[in-house]
């Protein structure tokens, strides 16, 4: 009988979106797949569960699935039905709640009808109805009224929130980050404009359980892969012996090599959950605190999941710089030329090992949404399958 590593054709490190999709794809291609996950559960940062009060929460912050990619939507739909809704966010600006992204509804709330009508005309003439304009681009506009709007949006929506989230100003960070939430020249209050948005009907965890439920997949949780695998001298050692099957790594690349060139910088978050014995806390799923408070946003889960429950659970998010201390989780890579150079230096260490693949938000040091991650995992699996 085969034992240990001989039982497996492929090893996948991490049971988040990236690892779970790849595991399922390789399993369906006939590979015997071992998934190693250091946490006590699958699903990575998408993991959800009921808290002790029976309220359904997202343990690592609110996750709303949104996509225009038919393939990603169809793929996940094999493992779940959907609770579909148009996700909306408001910002608390000096106590008043205004729709975010800033859009024409927000414009009218802030400036009143007469002025807003005139400004709307200028915006539509300049950019076209239904267009999206990144804040940093809007600020460069030649028209003084448009710049006035841009300054309002910059000061009241982006500056302080970005300082909290990144410890840097909007100008200092990669423009693609603030570009995720452009000013909308439309009356659409939704946070995302993609055709499919919502949540797995029975939660992310159930969806990933269904995905990993396959006779060719074995999942071991509470297992740090670094105790089983070693990447050295052009080879992968698995429990001490050379392993020739494919290895897909979805964790932080620097930590695979004991951070020998220094740590790759990440932002992390502290999640402060609170159960309140009351029907409602804020009447919205997500309120961004764009001016005040040390936290960035409060999520009230029952408005996100549609759950009917007595009482309500909220979570506040406090960003900080990841240090690698025990218990901290690296959530956001920080895009910059220096950081990319450091990342490439680590990647070089794997360049002579053809059966190792880097996949995921951490391993690729990129800011992926769930749908983009599904697409990347499917594409990598396609590539691996062609080589089998
Ligand atoms: P992860 O989910 O991080 O999974 C990686 C897994 O690898 C983890 O489970 C980790 O424990 C494991 N691992 C790492 N190292 C090891 C090791 N050495 N041994 C064993 N296991 C290891 N996307 C959206 O589309 N919509 C949203 O609303 C949204 N909201 C978000 C909110 C927050 C606060 C954050 C941080 C992200 C959000 N995202 C959202 C992005 C989404 O979380 C990611 O796209 C997705 O989780 C990426 O999946 P992944 O598999 O790459 O990473
Ligand atoms: N942002 C902001 N104010 C807001 C919402 C977003 O300043 O009210 C900025 C901030 O820098 C944030 C970025 O836009 O990191 C992207 O926001 P998004 O909601 O996409 O971030 P996520 O939480 O999904 O990573």
């Amino acid at each position: 009988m085969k034992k240990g590593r001989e039982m497996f054709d492929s090893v996948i490190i991490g049971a988040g979106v990236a690892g779970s999709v790849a595991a399922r794809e390789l399993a369906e291609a006939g590979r015997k797949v071992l998934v190693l996950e250091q946490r006590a559960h699958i699903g990575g940062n998408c993991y959800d569960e009921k808290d002790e009060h029976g309220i359904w929460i997202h343990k690592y912050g609110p996750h709303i699935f949104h996509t225009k990619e038919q393939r990603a939507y169809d793929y996940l739909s094999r493992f779940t039905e959907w609770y579909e809704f148009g996700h909306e966010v408001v910002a608390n600006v000096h106590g008043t709640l205004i729709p975010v992204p800033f859009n024409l509804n927000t414009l009218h709330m802030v400036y009143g009808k007469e002025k807003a009508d005139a400004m709307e005309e200028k915006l539509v003439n300049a950019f076209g109805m239904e267009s999206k304009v990144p804040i940093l681009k809007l600020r460069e506009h030649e028209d003084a009224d448009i710049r006035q709007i841009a300054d309002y949006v910059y000061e009241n929506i982006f500056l302080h929130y970005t300082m909290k989230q990144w410890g840097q100003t909007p100008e200092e960070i990669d423009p693609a980050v603030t570009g995720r939430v452009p000013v909308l020249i439309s009356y659409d209050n939704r946070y995302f404009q993609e055709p499919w948005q919502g949540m797995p009907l029975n939660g992310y965890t159930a969806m990933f359980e269904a995905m990993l439920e396959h006779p060719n997949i074995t999942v071991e949780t509470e297992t740090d892969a670094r105790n089983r695998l070693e990447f050295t001298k052009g080879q992968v050692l698995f429990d001490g012996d050379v392993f020739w099957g494919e290895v897909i790594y979805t964790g932080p690349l620097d930590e695979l090599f004991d951070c020998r060139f220094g740590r790759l910088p990440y932002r992390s978050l502290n999640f402060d959950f609170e159960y309140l014995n009351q029907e409602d806390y804020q009447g919205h799923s997500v309120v961004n605190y764009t001016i005040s408070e040390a936290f960035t946003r409060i999520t009230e889960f029952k408005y996100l999941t549609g759950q009917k429950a007595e009482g309500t659970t909220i979570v506040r998010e406090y960003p900080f710089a990841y240090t690698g201390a025990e218990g901290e989780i690296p959530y956001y890579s920080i895009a910059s030329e220096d950081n990319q150079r450091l990342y490439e230096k680590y990647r070089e260490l794997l360049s002579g090992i053809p059966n190792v693949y880097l996949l995921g938000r951490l391993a690729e040091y990129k800011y992926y949404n769930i749908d983009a991650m599904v697409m990347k995992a499917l594409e990598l699996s396609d590539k691996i399958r062609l080589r089998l």
Side-chain angles (χ1 to χ4, degrees):
M1 201 179 105
K2 286 183 176 180
K3 285 175 91 181
R5 72 192 153 69
E6 291 165 17
M7 284 170 57
F8 299 105
D9 303 309
S10 324
V11 178
I12 294 181
I13 299 148
V17 183
S20 300
V21 170
R24 179 71 185 212
E25 285 294 281
L26 295 185
E28 288 182 358
R31 308 294 275 172
K32 297 268 184 225
V33 182
L34 174 65
V35 180
L36 302 174
E37 169 55 58
Q38 67 188 2
R39 298 183 195 175
H41 59 73
I42 60 161
N45 292 335
C46 295
Y47 175 76
D48 53 12
E49 63 181 6
K50 293 252 173 92
D51 69 9
E52 56 184 359
H53 305 281
I55 312 277
W56 189 5
I57 60 161
H58 294 182
K59 191 168 174 187
Y60 306 98
H63 278 74
I64 299 96
F65 177 70
H66 53 102
T67 194
K68 58 180 168 49
E69 300 286 353
Q70 178 94 45
R71 190 179 182 199
Y73 178 77
D74 287 348
Y75 190 77
L76 295 183
S77 300
R78 288 180 52 198
F79 307 104
T80 187
E81 291 179 63
W82 298 98
Y83 166 56
E84 298 201 14
F85 65 94
H87 178 56
E88 294 189 10
V89 173
V90 290
N92 182 318
V93 176
H94 302 297
T96 302
L97 300 181
I98 60 171
V100 172
F102 188 95
N103 62 49
L104 297 178
N105 289 316
T106 328
L107 182 78
H108 281 263
M109 279 179 78
V110 170
Y111 290 103
K113 182 161 173 34
E114 200 176 325
K115 192 157 186 209
D117 279 346
M119 285 173 150
E120 174 177 337
E121 201 180 325
K122 284 199 169 179
L123 284 170
V124 173
N125 284 339
F127 301 104
M129 198 66 173
E130 304 300 329
S131 58
K132 298 177 168 191
V133 192
I135 181 58
L136 296 178
K137 190 168 164 224
L138 200 67
R139 287 195 97 203
E140 289 168 0
H141 204 271
E142 61 200 9
D143 183 276
D145 282 340
I146 290 182
R147 275 203 316 276
Q148 188 190 338
I149 300 167
D151 287 346
Y152 175 91
V153 175
Y154 180 84
E155 174 60 36
N156 290 287
I157 295 179
F158 283 96
L159 178 58
H160 308 284
Y161 188 103
T162 298
M163 284 304 298
K164 286 190 266 186
Q165 179 76 1
W166 298 98
Q168 289 177 290
T169 64
E171 289 78 10
E172 286 167 339
I173 63 173
D174 180 349
V177 175
T178 48
R180 287 166 60 89
V181 190
V183 169
L184 303 182
I185 318 297
S186 77
Y187 282 94
D188 188 348
N189 275 349
R190 293 173 309 164
Y191 203 66
F192 311 113
Q193 276 65 51
E194 288 108 318
W196 294 289
Q197 44 187 296
M199 222 99 72
L201 187 62
N202 297 312
Y204 288 97
T205 306
M207 178 177 80
F208 288 114
E209 271 165 7
M211 199 179 288
L212 292 168
E213 182 63 49
H214 188 283
N216 285 348
I217 299 179
T218 303
V219 180
E220 285 181 23
T221 52
E222 296 181 274
T223 305
D224 187 332
R226 289 172 296 181
N227 298 330
R228 306 278 303 271
L229 293 149
E230 204 185 328
F231 300 82
T232 176
K233 298 189 189 112
Q235 290 177 328
V236 186
L237 303 183
F238 179 21
D239 291 341
D241 288 323
V242 178
F243 183 73
W244 301 107
E246 49 283 341
V247 175
I248 300 179
Y249 180 67
T250 75
L253 187 53
D254 54 348
E255 294 186 5
L256 206 52
F257 297 104
D258 297 324
C259 304
R260 68 176 70 158
F261 303 134
R263 276 199 178 277
L264 277 169
Y266 287 95
R267 295 295 285 176
S268 189
L269 297 167
N270 268 325
F271 294 103
D272 180 22
F273 288 86
E274 187 180 2
Y275 171 77
L276 300 157
N277 192 9
Q278 60 197 53
E279 192 51 35
D280 161 75
Y281 176 73
Q282 61 185 16
H284 296 270
S285 55
V286 177
V287 178
N288 286 358
Y289 283 75
T290 55
I291 302 281
S292 61
E293 314 304 336
F295 50 83
T296 48
R297 58 183 176 184
I298 299 183
T299 299
E300 184 167 7
F301 287 103
K302 67 199 302 191
Y303 289 106
L304 203 62
T305 59
Q307 186 187 12
K308 303 272 176 278
E310 274 179 34
T312 191
T313 297
I314 61 171
V315 67
R316 297 180 177 84
E317 292 176 43
Y318 293 88
F320 66 95
Y322 176 71
T323 68
E326 183 78 22
E328 284 183 7
I329 295 178
Y331 288 113
Y332 295 95
S333 55
I334 304 172
S336 78
E337 281 179 20
D338 283 352
N339 296 349
Q340 192 57 34
R341 255 194 302 276
L342 181 57
Y343 173 80
E344 296 299 340
K345 220 169 146 185
Y346 280 109
R347 206 164 62 149
E348 267 298 296
L349 296 175
L350 289 173
S351 64
I353 318 183
N355 55 328
V356 176
Y357 301 89
L358 298 174
L359 179 71
R361 231 191 194 209
L362 297 166
E364 295 181 66
Y365 203 64
K366 282 203 177 121
Y367 202 147
Y368 285 120
N369 288 327
I370 298 168
D371 65 327
M373 208 62 269
V374 171
M375 294 299 287
K376 263 317 274 273
L378 291 173
E379 283 157 17
L380 176 63
S381 307
D382 290 346
K383 196 170 104 183
I384 292 173
R385 256 203 312 260
L386 284 176
R387 289 187 188 161
L388 294 177

